[in-house]
Amino acid sequence: MPSLLPNWNDGAGRTAILRFVARVNEAGSPDFLPPEERIATFDNDGTLWCEQPLQVQFFFGRDQLKKLADADPSLKLRQPYKAFLEHDIAIIKQEGKQGFFEVAAATHAGMTNDEFHLQACAWLAGAKNPLVNRRFIDLVYRPQLELMEFLQKNDFRIFIVSGGGVDLIRAFSEEVYAVPRSQVVGSSVKTRMETRDGKVDLLKLPELQSFDDREAKVQNIALHIGRRPVLAFGNSDGDLAMLQYALSGDGPRLGLLLHHDDAEREFAYDREFAVSPLAEALDRRDDLGITLISMKNDWRSIFPDEGSTFP
Amino acid sequence: MPSLLPNWNDGAGRTAILRFVARVNEAGSPDFLPPEERIATFDNDGTLWCEQPLQVQFFFGRDQLKKLADADPSLKLRQPYKAFLEHDIAIIKQEGKQGFFEVAAATHAGMTNDEFHLQACAWLAGAKNPLVNRRFIDLVYRPQLELMEFLQKNDFRIFIVSGGGVDLIRAFSEEVYAVPRSQVVGSSVKTRMETRDGKVDLLKLPELQSFDDREAKVQNIALHIGRRPVLAFGNSDGDLAMLQYALSGDGPRLGLLLHHDDAEREFAYDREFAVSPLAEALDRRDDLGITLISMKNDWRSIFPDEGSTFP
């Protein structure tokens, strides 16, 4: 195996990445980028970890909702809670990604940020993907862990920019991705500050603050990062605006799009995945200068070995 | 001069800082903090640089407004624009900090984020404080530059959390404070994504997204950083919530409050500064465990020498 990106097969994708990093490293060249300009943004669901049969956020929300429904059984009869509880994918797909994020958010209302964090960590430590019976956090993509490490070694600052809830991702971003919590951008709910016994906490409210998808990804990149990324990596139409934003800047740019075309080792889907389709970005990739990464051809392995010790 | 924090006089303030850093560094102690927990938040106006006679944001907004008024003289007759243009501090104080942030924000509407950044950099390179005839960026506090550098050397990650506009601070945070743009949190306006000639940009809108003061500082810390700071440094009641939030956590904590009591070398003000008073925090500091830093007694020098080369 080659020493750089060993789980990336030799091919156009790996070559594009290595050439891009070589370009920005070339001292004295007009393409050289100082470290502060080396901003890379990665989508999370479907780009850094498995999003089938549904995004992990859904399972977390459902499990939280189950607890609430034990206390208030009337929830079991009301949509969209009913669909969540019964794991009715058809209805959930109808509600769309934002719909299910809102339901999930509602299940966390009244919790402090610190309480949420502890619950998310506890849940992630055990929760499994029902299709493959492995923990969600073991279904991160090994080639992407390698890529992020490689970029960090080359002075890139990596940000995760996800439609998923920012605080759920922050519960594992440091241990699993080596990305600081402050470099995670995601969907969020409003909060209210409360002082109890002289202690200041933030309570989560059942009200959406930002659903971080499509154009909102670009707006939130500007808000959180304050700089146009030079590299963006996504896997769905929800990432297209972010890819275009990165590619619209001057100087060296790299836009990468992961294509789930590996039914044998992971899943094969694109246009038909209602919750988060890949269609427009697939059609426009050549015009926009986006490099397509084939999971099947470009990746030597998909998942890390069993036995990770998170948290 | 001592080798650590040479522009801090020996005294309770300097001692509190050195003891705090020693505590979090002590391997094996229950107070030891891993690097990811070492989050320090600093207010900007009046904490890191001079905010008299008014916050720098005001002067930037006024100069932008002058350009607009040249094109549309009717602005010169309407409040609060009139007060801005005439530098009528009494009226501006009446409008309050948020009022003048909103006016300033309105002057940037329609500009792309990239255009704003270039204008802010150009303005900062020359704009001077009218009271002392030195550039605003030369009126940063030397002891604070030392403190931030000292903390960074001790693996702290520093965030600026300001009521000022986030993108104005980002225009100098890296060169002047050595704080990456992504570690600046501040007031912000809404943006709209636009695609022109295939290029994606964000346009600033004349609508406030977040006025980052008081409780909003705590909410924005949670949103941007995702972790409770262990050290917070402010200088007004607008920073009190942030200080309380930092001090409410478990383990070692340090809350610092700068008192402008040095009329000779800078300015002496607290309760009477209508735009951003220091009153409640001053009264409650002992109960809350906040360490008061006296500019007069704790700081050996205030400003860097003349001749900095920003940008």
Side-chain angles (χ1 to χ4, degrees):
Chain A
M1 288 199 298
S3 60
L4 292 178
L5 305 177
N7 282 290
W8 286 74
N9 288 320
D10 206 16
R14 184 172 180 277
T15 300
I17 292 166
L18 294 177
R19 278 205 186 137
F20 174 76
V21 172
R23 271 177 79 189
V24 307
N25 275 340
E26 202 182 331
S29 135
D31 286 345
F32 175 81
L33 290 180
E36 63 271 17
E37 295 288 347
R38 299 186 183 199
I39 301 293
T41 54
F42 283 75
D43 169 58
N44 186 44
D45 294 308
T47 298
L48 295 180
W49 74 355
C50 180
E51 64 176 351
Q52 291 292 348
L54 277 174
Q55 284 87 356
V56 178
Q57 181 81 45
F58 159 78
F59 296 98
F60 181 58
R62 191 191 56 172
D63 290 353
Q64 295 286 108
L65 192 57
K66 276 181 187 167
K67 288 195 224 170
L68 294 183
D70 286 343
D72 173 11
S74 77
L75 287 178
K76 292 178 188 167
L77 304 173
R78 273 152 51 199
Q79 292 297 11
Y81 303 107
K82 187 168 181 289
F84 252 65
L85 289 165
E86 294 172 359
H87 190 164
D88 180 338
I89 292 184
I91 288 181
I92 289 157
K93 286 183 175 171
Q94 217 172 293
E95 296 284 330
K97 202 157 65 169
Q98 175 161 349
F100 84 66
F101 179 76
E102 283 176 2
V103 176
T107 66
H108 313 132
M111 220 178 262
T112 69
N113 277 20
D114 293 345
E115 286 163 356
F116 176 92
H117 184 75
L118 293 177
Q119 292 206 13
C121 287
W123 184 82
L124 284 163
K128 287 186 173 180
N129 183 308
L131 293 183
V132 297
N133 198 34
R134 286 187 68 178
R135 295 189 308 170
F136 294 113
I137 49 162
D138 292 329
L139 297 173
V140 297
Y141 303 134
R142 173 187 273 189
Q144 301 290 58
L145 297 179
E146 280 178 9
L147 174 57
M148 289 195 289
E149 190 186 358
F150 173 65
L151 291 171
Q152 284 172 330
K153 280 189 180 158
N154 282 279
D155 293 330
F156 280 79
R157 189 175 282 236
I158 304 219
F159 290 82
I160 294 166
V161 181
S162 170
V166 63
D167 288 331
L168 179 61
I169 303 169
R170 283 174 172 162
F172 68 98
S173 68
E174 294 178 348
E175 291 86 345
V176 175
Y177 297 143
V179 171
R181 286 190 212 165
S182 58
Q183 289 166 219
V184 180
V185 178
S187 294
S188 57
V189 294
K190 295 189 176 172
T191 56
R192 188 177 66 234
M193 194 180 109
E194 281 216 345
T195 310
R196 291 183 201 163
D197 306 327
K199 189 173 185 297
V200 167
D201 274 314
L202 286 172
L203 290 187
K204 286 185 178 285
L205 300 177
E207 196 184 339
L208 196 62
Q209 176 161 271
S210 173
F211 179 61
D212 189 46
D213 198 29
R214 299 182 178 263
E215 298 193 358
K217 289 201 174 195
V218 176
Q219 292 162 326
N220 283 326
I221 285 171
L223 178 65
H224 286 254
I225 308 178
R227 190 170 249 129
R228 197 187 285 263
V230 293
L231 185 159
F233 206 145
N235 80 304
S236 78
D237 289 350
D239 303 314
L240 182 55
M242 171 174 87
L243 285 160
Q244 286 184 272
Y245 184 55
L247 292 169
S248 294
D250 299 325
R253 304 277 149 181
L254 187 62
L256 300 162
L257 189 64
L258 182 62
H259 193 202
H260 292 265
D261 57 0
D262 193 335
E264 202 175 311
R265 298 185 299 172
E266 204 235 14
F267 298 96
Y269 62 98
D270 44 42
R271 295 169 201 274
E272 306 306 316
F273 187 39
V275 175
S276 189
L278 172 62
E280 189 187 351
L282 203 54
D283 294 336
R284 297 180 60 198
R285 69 182 191 277
D286 288 339
D287 286 345
L288 296 171
I290 292 171
T291 303
L292 197 69
I293 302 297
S294 157
M295 190 173 252
K296 184 173 178 178
N297 301 317
D298 286 315
W299 286 2
R300 191 180 301 260
S301 72
I302 310 286
F303 298 116
D305 297 330
E306 301 278 348
S308 117
T309 55
F310 177 87
Chain B
M1 288 199 296
S3 60
L4 292 179
L5 304 177
N7 282 290
W8 286 73
N9 289 321
D10 207 14
R14 184 173 181 275
T15 300
I17 292 167
L18 294 177
R19 278 204 187 136
F20 174 76
V21 172
R23 272 177 79 191
V24 309
N25 274 341
E26 203 183 328
S29 137
D31 286 346
F32 175 81
L33 289 180
E36 63 271 19
E37 295 288 346
R38 301 187 182 198
I39 301 294
T41 54
F42 283 74
D43 169 58
N44 186 44
D45 294 307
T47 298
L48 295 180
W49 72 356
C50 180
E51 65 177 351
Q52 291 291 351
L54 277 175
Q55 284 85 356
V56 177
Q57 181 81 45
F58 159 78
F59 296 98
F60 180 58
R62 190 192 55 170
D63 289 352
Q64 295 286 109
L65 193 58
K66 276 182 186 165
K67 287 195 223 169
L68 293 183
D70 286 343
D72 173 11
S74 77
L75 287 178
K76 292 177 187 167
L77 305 172
R78 272 150 54 199
Q79 292 298 10
Y81 303 107
K82 187 169 181 288
F84 252 65
L85 288 166
E86 294 173 359
H87 190 165
D88 181 338
I89 292 185
I91 289 182
I92 288 157
K93 286 183 176 171
Q94 214 172 297
E95 296 285 330
K97 202 157 64 169
Q98 175 161 348
F100 84 64
F101 180 75
E102 283 175 3
V103 176
T107 65
H108 313 132
M111 220 179 262
T112 70
N113 276 20
D114 293 344
E115 286 164 355
F116 176 92
H117 183 75
L118 292 177
Q119 293 206 11
C121 287
W123 184 83
L124 284 163
K128 287 186 173 180
N129 183 309
L131 293 183
V132 297
N133 198 34
R134 285 188 67 180
R135 295 189 308 169
F136 294 112
I137 48 161
D138 292 329
L139 297 173
V140 297
Y141 302 134
R142 176 188 271 189
Q144 300 289 57
L145 297 180
E146 281 179 7
L147 174 57
M148 290 196 288
E149 189 185 358
F150 173 65
L151 291 172
Q152 284 171 329
K153 280 187 180 157
N154 282 279
D155 293 331
F156 280 79
R157 189 176 283 236
I158 305 224
F159 290 83
I160 294 167
V161 180
S162 170
V166 63
D167 288 331
L168 179 61
I169 304 169
R170 282 174 172 162
F172 69 99
S173 68
E174 294 179 348
E175 290 86 345
V176 175
Y177 297 143
V179 171
R181 287 189 212 166
S182 58
Q183 289 165 219
V184 179
V185 178
S187 295
S188 57
V189 294
K190 295 189 178 172
T191 57
R192 187 177 67 232
M193 193 179 110
E194 282 216 344
T195 309
R196 290 185 201 160
D197 306 327
K199 189 172 185 297
V200 166
D201 274 314
L202 286 172
L203 290 188
K204 287 186 177 285
L205 301 177
E207 196 185 341
L208 196 61
Q209 176 162 272
S210 173
F211 180 61
D212 189 46
D213 199 28
R214 299 183 179 263
E215 299 193 357
K217 287 202 176 195
V218 176
Q219 292 162 326
N220 283 326
I221 285 171
L223 178 65
H224 286 255
I225 309 178
R227 191 170 249 129
R228 197 187 283 264
V230 294
L231 185 159
F233 206 144
N235 79 305
S236 79
D237 289 351
D239 303 313
L240 182 56
M242 171 173 88
L243 285 160
Q244 286 185 271
Y245 183 56
L247 292 169
S248 293
D250 299 325
R253 302 277 150 181
L254 187 63
L256 300 161
L257 189 63
L258 183 62
H259 193 200
H260 291 265
D261 57 0
D262 193 335
E264 201 174 311
R265 297 186 299 171
E266 203 234 15
F267 299 96
Y269 63 98
D270 44 42
R271 295 168 202 275
E272 305 306 316
F273 187 39
V275 176
S276 188
L278 172 62
E280 188 187 351
L282 203 55
D283 293 336
R284 296 181 60 198
R285 68 181 191 275
D286 288 339
D287 286 346
L288 296 171
I290 292 171
T291 302
L292 197 69
I293 301 297
S294 156
M295 189 173 253
K296 185 174 179 176
N297 300 318
D298 286 315
W299 286 2
R300 190 180 303 258
S301 73
I302 310 284
F303 298 116
D305 297 330
E306 301 277 350
S308 115
T309 55
F310 178 87

